[in-house]
Amino acid sequence: MFIHNASAFLSAPLDVKALKEELKRHTDIYFRRVNKFVLLALIGAHRCARDQRIRPETAVYLATEHGNLGDTESVLFQIYRQHCLPMPYNFINTMANTASFYVAQGLNLNGRNLSVSSQNLSFERALELLKADMDLGAVQSALAGSVDEATASESRFQEKSGLAMDLVKQVDRSCWLHLKCEREGALGEVKTIRSFRGKRDGLNWLKANGREFIRPAVLSFGIAVGPEEREAWKKAVRPDGEFDYVRECGSLNATTACGVATFIGRRQAGHLIHVNKNFQDRYVILQVQCC
């Protein structure tokens, strides 16, 4: 899979009005009654599609960790706190897959359209599905993105992370790649995406294949990979450097797509090896090479 463009939209939390103004910079199409999550998806996808020849049959693979947080929280509040039926608009917009529909509609695409969520590995799972479709010849080009809102609820954030909300930078995020089967004109290539049942299997694979990496090779990690684990991976890879995109983004909700899009956007020579895991200690190793 060859990467022909990459876009990373990261912003301090914005309201719907501000996001609509941002979207106007990228398209003249007016979208009625869309929510924050949909607007983020549209902004990221249109930024990635800019100056690209996007074929009508291009597929859309939208990954999200949390989906539409704002409307989901509103619906739950209406049901369980106000003890009433949710507003129809809020209820309909709890479906995160409407965002991928709007992306296809806005770019006049009629290819495959999937929304994927898999705890802490959503973007990796989307790329795995895309690779399978490309290997089968079912898809020739695709937009693959990762979209999430900043956490809306202070109590929900503190319950999940154990951190005070004012101590952690929150960002709205929409990061996308334009991928094709064709090498010509590509900025980079997804060389490998492999899943492992545990750390040992992943480390053994890296030790066996690390010599094949084109240098310089940099190593990056998902947010769930702790400091002690990182040292073990570094010993296996012996990288030329570490790309800490989570620290650069300044946010705990930065994901793999942020790292890959930023790495490709810098047009650096070499190889990115990204290690991520979920909370069941299932690991995914992603290799991206700049062309």
PDB file of all heavy atoms in Angstrom, residues 251-281:
ATOM      1  N   SER A 251      -0.876  15.508  23.515  1.00  0.00           N
ATOM      2  CA  SER A 251      -2.192  15.021  23.918  1.00  0.00           C
ATOM      3  C   SER A 251      -2.183  13.510  24.074  1.00  0.00           C
ATOM      4  O   SER A 251      -1.586  12.793  23.277  1.00  0.00           O
ATOM      5  CB  SER A 251      -3.242  15.407  22.877  1.00  0.00           C
ATOM      6  OG  SER A 251      -4.474  14.788  23.157  1.00  0.00           O
ATOM      7  N   LEU A 252      -2.900  13.028  25.093  1.00  0.00           N
ATOM      8  CA  LEU A 252      -3.009  11.590  25.307  1.00  0.00           C
ATOM      9  C   LEU A 252      -3.908  10.914  24.282  1.00  0.00           C
ATOM     10  O   LEU A 252      -3.885   9.691  24.165  1.00  0.00           O
ATOM     11  CB  LEU A 252      -3.544  11.314  26.722  1.00  0.00           C
ATOM     12  CG  LEU A 252      -2.585  11.614  27.877  1.00  0.00           C
ATOM     13  CD1 LEU A 252      -3.257  11.312  29.204  1.00  0.00           C
ATOM     14  CD2 LEU A 252      -1.301  10.812  27.754  1.00  0.00           C
ATOM     15  N   ASN A 253      -4.740  11.669  23.562  1.00  0.00           N
ATOM     16  CA  ASN A 253      -5.597  11.012  22.583  1.00  0.00           C
ATOM     17  C   ASN A 253      -5.021  11.068  21.168  1.00  0.00           C
ATOM     18  O   ASN A 253      -5.717  10.881  20.187  1.00  0.00           O
ATOM     19  CB  ASN A 253      -7.028  11.573  22.617  1.00  0.00           C
ATOM     20  CG  ASN A 253      -7.121  13.016  22.178  1.00  0.00           C
ATOM     21  OD1 ASN A 253      -6.142  13.748  22.245  1.00  0.00           O
ATOM     22  ND2 ASN A 253      -8.294  13.430  21.738  1.00  0.00           N
ATOM     23  N   ALA A 254      -3.712  11.324  21.067  1.00  0.00           N
ATOM     24  CA  ALA A 254      -3.032  11.159  19.783  1.00  0.00           C
ATOM     25  C   ALA A 254      -2.945   9.664  19.469  1.00  0.00           C
ATOM     26  O   ALA A 254      -2.691   8.853  20.349  1.00  0.00           O
ATOM     27  CB  ALA A 254      -1.634  11.766  19.840  1.00  0.00           C
ATOM     28  N   THR A 255      -3.172   9.284  18.218  1.00  0.00           N
ATOM     29  CA  THR A 255      -3.175   7.872  17.846  1.00  0.00           C
ATOM     30  C   THR A 255      -2.165   7.602  16.739  1.00  0.00           C
ATOM     31  O   THR A 255      -1.486   8.504  16.253  1.00  0.00           O
ATOM     32  CB  THR A 255      -4.567   7.428  17.364  1.00  0.00           C
ATOM     33  OG1 THR A 255      -4.909   8.186  16.201  1.00  0.00           O
ATOM     34  CG2 THR A 255      -5.616   7.637  18.446  1.00  0.00           C
ATOM     35  N   THR A 256      -2.101   6.333  16.348  1.00  0.00           N
ATOM     36  CA  THR A 256      -1.163   5.897  15.320  1.00  0.00           C
ATOM     37  C   THR A 256      -1.262   6.745  14.059  1.00  0.00           C
ATOM     38  O   THR A 256      -0.241   7.097  13.449  1.00  0.00           O
ATOM     39  CB  THR A 256      -1.425   4.425  14.975  1.00  0.00           C
ATOM     40  OG1 THR A 256      -1.361   3.649  16.174  1.00  0.00           O
ATOM     41  CG2 THR A 256      -0.414   3.909  13.973  1.00  0.00           C
ATOM     42  N   ALA A 257      -2.487   7.075  13.655  1.00  0.00           N
ATOM     43  CA  ALA A 257      -2.668   7.873  12.441  1.00  0.00           C
ATOM     44  C   ALA A 257      -1.967   9.222  12.555  1.00  0.00           C
ATOM     45  O   ALA A 257      -1.423   9.734  11.566  1.00  0.00           O
ATOM     46  CB  ALA A 257      -4.158   8.072  12.161  1.00  0.00           C
ATOM     47  N   CYS A 258      -1.970   9.813  13.750  1.00  0.00           N
ATOM     48  CA  CYS A 258      -1.262  11.087  13.954  1.00  0.00           C
ATOM     49  C   CYS A 258       0.226  10.910  13.683  1.00  0.00           C
ATOM     50  O   CYS A 258       0.856  11.735  13.011  1.00  0.00           O
ATOM     51  CB  CYS A 258      -1.454  11.583  15.385  1.00  0.00           C
ATOM     52  SG  CYS A 258      -3.145  11.931  15.851  1.00  0.00           S
ATOM     53  N   GLY A 259       0.792   9.827  14.233  1.00  0.00           N
ATOM     54  CA  GLY A 259       2.216   9.585  14.061  1.00  0.00           C
ATOM     55  C   GLY A 259       2.597   9.349  12.616  1.00  0.00           C
ATOM     56  O   GLY A 259       3.573   9.926  12.112  1.00  0.00           O
ATOM     57  N   VAL A 260       1.832   8.507  11.922  1.00  0.00           N
ATOM     58  CA  VAL A 260       2.153   8.186  10.528  1.00  0.00           C
ATOM     59  C   VAL A 260       1.989   9.415   9.638  1.00  0.00           C
ATOM     60  O   VAL A 260       2.854   9.724   8.809  1.00  0.00           O
ATOM     61  CB  VAL A 260       1.274   7.031  10.022  1.00  0.00           C
ATOM     62  CG1 VAL A 260       1.517   6.783   8.530  1.00  0.00           C
ATOM     63  CG2 VAL A 260       1.551   5.761  10.816  1.00  0.00           C
ATOM     64  N   ALA A 261       0.873  10.141   9.805  1.00  0.00           N
ATOM     65  CA  ALA A 261       0.625  11.320   8.969  1.00  0.00           C
ATOM     66  C   ALA A 261       1.696  12.387   9.191  1.00  0.00           C
ATOM     67  O   ALA A 261       2.164  13.026   8.241  1.00  0.00           O
ATOM     68  CB  ALA A 261      -0.760  11.884   9.255  1.00  0.00           C
ATOM     69  N   THR A 262       2.105  12.571  10.445  1.00  0.00           N
ATOM     70  CA  THR A 262       3.144  13.565  10.741  1.00  0.00           C
ATOM     71  C   THR A 262       4.487  13.141  10.164  1.00  0.00           C
ATOM     72  O   THR A 262       5.228  13.943   9.586  1.00  0.00           O
ATOM     73  CB  THR A 262       3.264  13.770  12.260  1.00  0.00           C
ATOM     74  OG1 THR A 262       1.995  14.158  12.789  1.00  0.00           O
ATOM     75  CG2 THR A 262       4.284  14.840  12.593  1.00  0.00           C
ATOM     76  N   PHE A 263       4.824  11.854  10.303  1.00  0.00           N
ATOM     77  CA  PHE A 263       6.087  11.330   9.783  1.00  0.00           C
ATOM     78  C   PHE A 263       6.159  11.495   8.267  1.00  0.00           C
ATOM     79  O   PHE A 263       7.158  11.977   7.721  1.00  0.00           O
ATOM     80  CB  PHE A 263       6.221   9.857  10.166  1.00  0.00           C
ATOM     81  CG  PHE A 263       7.481   9.199   9.679  1.00  0.00           C
ATOM     82  CD1 PHE A 263       8.688   9.418  10.321  1.00  0.00           C
ATOM     83  CD2 PHE A 263       7.458   8.355   8.580  1.00  0.00           C
ATOM     84  CE1 PHE A 263       9.857   8.809   9.872  1.00  0.00           C
ATOM     85  CE2 PHE A 263       8.615   7.736   8.131  1.00  0.00           C
ATOM     86  CZ  PHE A 263       9.816   7.967   8.777  1.00  0.00           C
ATOM     87  N   ILE A 264       5.094  11.121   7.572  1.00  0.00           N
ATOM     88  CA  ILE A 264       5.066  11.245   6.116  1.00  0.00           C
ATOM     89  C   ILE A 264       5.088  12.712   5.702  1.00  0.00           C
ATOM     90  O   ILE A 264       5.747  13.101   4.735  1.00  0.00           O
ATOM     91  CB  ILE A 264       3.823  10.545   5.536  1.00  0.00           C
ATOM     92  CG1 ILE A 264       3.945   9.026   5.702  1.00  0.00           C
ATOM     93  CG2 ILE A 264       3.622  10.903   4.066  1.00  0.00           C
ATOM     94  CD1 ILE A 264       5.063   8.391   4.907  1.00  0.00           C
ATOM     95  N   GLY A 265       4.378  13.544   6.452  1.00  0.00           N
ATOM     96  CA  GLY A 265       4.306  14.958   6.114  1.00  0.00           C
ATOM     97  C   GLY A 265       5.641  15.668   6.176  1.00  0.00           C
ATOM     98  O   GLY A 265       5.849  16.681   5.490  1.00  0.00           O
ATOM     99  N   ARG A 266       6.571  15.142   6.959  1.00  0.00           N
ATOM    100  CA  ARG A 266       7.891  15.770   7.069  1.00  0.00           C
ATOM    101  C   ARG A 266       8.832  15.377   5.940  1.00  0.00           C
ATOM    102  O   ARG A 266       9.944  15.909   5.847  1.00  0.00           O
ATOM    103  CB  ARG A 266       8.518  15.394   8.413  1.00  0.00           C
ATOM    104  CG  ARG A 266       7.789  16.026   9.586  1.00  0.00           C
ATOM    105  CD  ARG A 266       8.397  15.626  10.901  1.00  0.00           C
ATOM    106  NE  ARG A 266       7.716  16.290  11.998  1.00  0.00           N
ATOM    107  CZ  ARG A 266       8.002  16.095  13.277  1.00  0.00           C
ATOM    108  NH1 ARG A 266       8.959  15.254  13.622  1.00  0.00           N
ATOM    109  NH2 ARG A 266       7.331  16.736  14.212  1.00  0.00           N
ATOM    110  N   ARG A 267       8.408  14.430   5.112  1.00  0.00           N
ATOM    111  CA  ARG A 267       9.196  14.004   3.944  1.00  0.00           C
ATOM    112  C   ARG A 267      10.596  13.544   4.347  1.00  0.00           C
ATOM    113  O   ARG A 267      11.584  13.820   3.661  1.00  0.00           O
ATOM    114  CB  ARG A 267       9.310  15.128   2.913  1.00  0.00           C
ATOM    115  CG  ARG A 267       8.004  15.765   2.487  1.00  0.00           C
ATOM    116  CD  ARG A 267       7.138  14.814   1.672  1.00  0.00           C
ATOM    117  NE  ARG A 267       6.115  15.516   0.935  1.00  0.00           N
ATOM    118  CZ  ARG A 267       4.907  15.818   1.393  1.00  0.00           C
ATOM    119  NH1 ARG A 267       4.581  15.477   2.635  1.00  0.00           N
ATOM    120  NH2 ARG A 267       4.022  16.438   0.642  1.00  0.00           N
ATOM    121  N   GLN A 268      10.690  12.854   5.471  1.00  0.00           N
ATOM    122  CA  GLN A 268      11.992  12.381   5.928  1.00  0.00           C
ATOM    123  C   GLN A 268      12.335  11.052   5.274  1.00  0.00           C
ATOM    124  O   GLN A 268      11.464  10.214   5.053  1.00  0.00           O
ATOM    125  CB  GLN A 268      11.996  12.214   7.451  1.00  0.00           C
ATOM    126  CG  GLN A 268      11.859  13.521   8.214  1.00  0.00           C
ATOM    127  CD  GLN A 268      11.788  13.304   9.713  1.00  0.00           C
ATOM    128  OE1 GLN A 268      11.211  12.331  10.170  1.00  0.00           O
ATOM    129  NE2 GLN A 268      12.366  14.203  10.472  1.00  0.00           N
ATOM    130  N   ALA A 269      13.611  10.859   4.984  1.00  0.00           N
ATOM    131  CA  ALA A 269      14.050   9.573   4.456  1.00  0.00           C
ATOM    132  C   ALA A 269      14.098   8.564   5.595  1.00  0.00           C
ATOM    133  O   ALA A 269      14.300   8.917   6.753  1.00  0.00           O
ATOM    134  CB  ALA A 269      15.427   9.712   3.814  1.00  0.00           C
ATOM    135  N   GLY A 270      13.901   7.307   5.251  1.00  0.00           N
ATOM    136  CA  GLY A 270      14.046   6.272   6.258  1.00  0.00           C
ATOM    137  C   GLY A 270      12.769   5.509   6.539  1.00  0.00           C
ATOM    138  O   GLY A 270      11.845   5.477   5.728  1.00  0.00           O
ATOM    139  N   HIS A 271      12.733   4.934   7.718  1.00  0.00           N
ATOM    140  CA  HIS A 271      11.765   3.912   8.067  1.00  0.00           C
ATOM    141  C   HIS A 271      11.156   4.242   9.423  1.00  0.00           C
ATOM    142  O   HIS A 271      11.874   4.584  10.364  1.00  0.00           O
ATOM    143  CB  HIS A 271      12.523   2.583   8.170  1.00  0.00           C
ATOM    144  CG  HIS A 271      11.730   1.402   7.754  1.00  0.00           C
ATOM    145  ND1 HIS A 271      12.060   0.643   6.662  1.00  0.00           N
ATOM    146  CD2 HIS A 271      10.631   0.830   8.279  1.00  0.00           C
ATOM    147  CE1 HIS A 271      11.195  -0.355   6.552  1.00  0.00           C
ATOM    148  NE2 HIS A 271      10.324  -0.256   7.519  1.00  0.00           N
ATOM    149  N   LEU A 272       9.842   4.135   9.538  1.00  0.00           N
ATOM    150  CA  LEU A 272       9.155   4.284  10.821  1.00  0.00           C
ATOM    151  C   LEU A 272       8.645   2.918  11.257  1.00  0.00           C
ATOM    152  O   LEU A 272       7.940   2.242  10.507  1.00  0.00           O
ATOM    153  CB  LEU A 272       7.979   5.253  10.700  1.00  0.00           C
ATOM    154  CG  LEU A 272       7.090   5.388  11.950  1.00  0.00           C
ATOM    155  CD1 LEU A 272       7.842   6.113  13.063  1.00  0.00           C
ATOM    156  CD2 LEU A 272       5.793   6.126  11.619  1.00  0.00           C
ATOM    157  N   ILE A 273       9.030   2.505  12.462  1.00  0.00           N
ATOM    158  CA  ILE A 273       8.493   1.274  13.051  1.00  0.00           C
ATOM    159  C   ILE A 273       7.635   1.686  14.238  1.00  0.00           C
ATOM    160  O   ILE A 273       8.142   2.265  15.208  1.00  0.00           O
ATOM    161  CB  ILE A 273       9.604   0.311  13.513  1.00  0.00           C
ATOM    162  CG1 ILE A 273      10.531  -0.042  12.355  1.00  0.00           C
ATOM    163  CG2 ILE A 273       9.000  -0.957  14.093  1.00  0.00           C
ATOM    164  CD1 ILE A 273      11.847   0.669  12.405  1.00  0.00           C
ATOM    165  N   HIS A 274       6.349   1.437  14.138  1.00  0.00           N
ATOM    166  CA  HIS A 274       5.409   1.857  15.179  1.00  0.00           C
ATOM    167  C   HIS A 274       4.893   0.634  15.928  1.00  0.00           C
ATOM    168  O   HIS A 274       4.429  -0.331  15.324  1.00  0.00           O
ATOM    169  CB  HIS A 274       4.235   2.612  14.562  1.00  0.00           C
ATOM    170  CG  HIS A 274       3.289   3.184  15.581  1.00  0.00           C
ATOM    171  ND1 HIS A 274       2.261   2.456  16.137  1.00  0.00           N
ATOM    172  CD2 HIS A 274       3.236   4.411  16.159  1.00  0.00           C
ATOM    173  CE1 HIS A 274       1.610   3.212  17.004  1.00  0.00           C
ATOM    174  NE2 HIS A 274       2.176   4.399  17.039  1.00  0.00           N
ATOM    175  N   VAL A 275       4.991   0.681  17.260  1.00  0.00           N
ATOM    176  CA  VAL A 275       4.539  -0.417  18.116  1.00  0.00           C
ATOM    177  C   VAL A 275       3.363   0.069  18.952  1.00  0.00           C
ATOM    178  O   VAL A 275       3.448   1.110  19.611  1.00  0.00           O
ATOM    179  CB  VAL A 275       5.666  -0.903  19.050  1.00  0.00           C
ATOM    180  CG1 VAL A 275       5.167  -2.031  19.954  1.00  0.00           C
ATOM    181  CG2 VAL A 275       6.873  -1.362  18.234  1.00  0.00           C
ATOM    182  N   ASN A 276       2.283  -0.682  18.928  1.00  0.00           N
ATOM    183  CA  ASN A 276       1.103  -0.309  19.702  1.00  0.00           C
ATOM    184  C   ASN A 276       0.474  -1.567  20.292  1.00  0.00           C
ATOM    185  O   ASN A 276       0.739  -2.683  19.835  1.00  0.00           O
ATOM    186  CB  ASN A 276       0.093   0.415  18.807  1.00  0.00           C
ATOM    187  CG  ASN A 276      -0.902   1.242  19.608  1.00  0.00           C
ATOM    188  OD1 ASN A 276      -0.750   1.425  20.815  1.00  0.00           O
ATOM    189  ND2 ASN A 276      -1.921   1.748  18.943  1.00  0.00           N
ATOM    190  N   LYS A 277      -0.347  -1.381  21.314  1.00  0.00           N
ATOM    191  CA  LYS A 277      -1.033  -2.522  21.914  1.00  0.00           C
ATOM    192  C   LYS A 277      -2.365  -2.067  22.478  1.00  0.00           C
ATOM    193  O   LYS A 277      -2.613  -0.870  22.681  1.00  0.00           O
ATOM    194  CB  LYS A 277      -0.182  -3.145  23.022  1.00  0.00           C
ATOM    195  CG  LYS A 277      -0.092  -2.314  24.295  1.00  0.00           C
ATOM    196  CD  LYS A 277       0.577  -3.106  25.419  1.00  0.00           C
ATOM    197  CE  LYS A 277       0.533  -2.345  26.741  1.00  0.00           C
ATOM    198  NZ  LYS A 277       1.084  -3.147  27.855  1.00  0.00           N
ATOM    199  N   ASN A 278      -3.246  -3.045  22.730  1.00  0.00           N
ATOM    200  CA  ASN A 278      -4.488  -2.739  23.422  1.00  0.00           C
ATOM    201  C   ASN A 278      -4.372  -3.194  24.873  1.00  0.00           C
ATOM    202  O   ASN A 278      -3.295  -3.603  25.325  1.00  0.00           O
ATOM    203  CB  ASN A 278      -5.691  -3.371  22.715  1.00  0.00           C
ATOM    204  CG  ASN A 278      -5.630  -4.892  22.701  1.00  0.00           C
ATOM    205  OD1 ASN A 278      -4.847  -5.522  23.415  1.00  0.00           O
ATOM    206  ND2 ASN A 278      -6.461  -5.500  21.873  1.00  0.00           N
ATOM    207  N   PHE A 279      -5.476  -3.132  25.605  1.00  0.00           N
ATOM    208  CA  PHE A 279      -5.415  -3.431  27.030  1.00  0.00           C
ATOM    209  C   PHE A 279      -5.490  -4.928  27.322  1.00  0.00           C
ATOM    210  O   PHE A 279      -5.472  -5.339  28.480  1.00  0.00           O
ATOM    211  CB  PHE A 279      -6.521  -2.670  27.758  1.00  0.00           C
ATOM    212  CG  PHE A 279      -6.359  -1.180  27.630  1.00  0.00           C
ATOM    213  CD1 PHE A 279      -7.210  -0.437  26.823  1.00  0.00           C
ATOM    214  CD2 PHE A 279      -5.332  -0.521  28.280  1.00  0.00           C
ATOM    215  CE1 PHE A 279      -7.047   0.931  26.688  1.00  0.00           C
ATOM    216  CE2 PHE A 279      -5.158   0.843  28.155  1.00  0.00           C
ATOM    217  CZ  PHE A 279      -6.019   1.577  27.356  1.00  0.00           C
ATOM    218  N   GLN A 280      -5.583  -5.740  26.276  1.00  0.00           N
ATOM    219  CA  GLN A 280      -5.460  -7.195  26.418  1.00  0.00           C
ATOM    220  C   GLN A 280      -4.077  -7.665  25.989  1.00  0.00           C
ATOM    221  O   GLN A 280      -3.855  -8.858  25.791  1.00  0.00           O
ATOM    222  CB  GLN A 280      -6.534  -7.911  25.581  1.00  0.00           C
ATOM    223  CG  GLN A 280      -7.946  -7.802  26.133  1.00  0.00           C
ATOM    224  CD  GLN A 280      -8.568  -6.453  25.861  1.00  0.00           C
ATOM    225  OE1 GLN A 280      -8.443  -5.917  24.756  1.00  0.00           O
ATOM    226  NE2 GLN A 280      -9.246  -5.892  26.843  1.00  0.00           N
ATOM    227  N   ASP A 281      -3.147  -6.727  25.838  1.00  0.00           N
ATOM    228  CA  ASP A 281      -1.765  -7.016  25.437  1.00  0.00           C
ATOM    229  C   ASP A 281      -1.677  -7.694  24.078  1.00  0.00           C
ATOM    230  O   ASP A 281      -0.823  -8.547  23.845  1.00  0.00           O
ATOM    231  CB  ASP A 281      -1.051  -7.859  26.497  1.00  0.00           C
ATOM    232  CG  ASP A 281      -0.661  -7.034  27.714  1.00  0.00           C
ATOM    233  OD1 ASP A 281      -0.523  -5.805  27.573  1.00  0.00           O
ATOM    234  OD2 ASP A 281      -0.500  -7.621  28.794  1.00  0.00           O
TER     235      ASP A 281
END
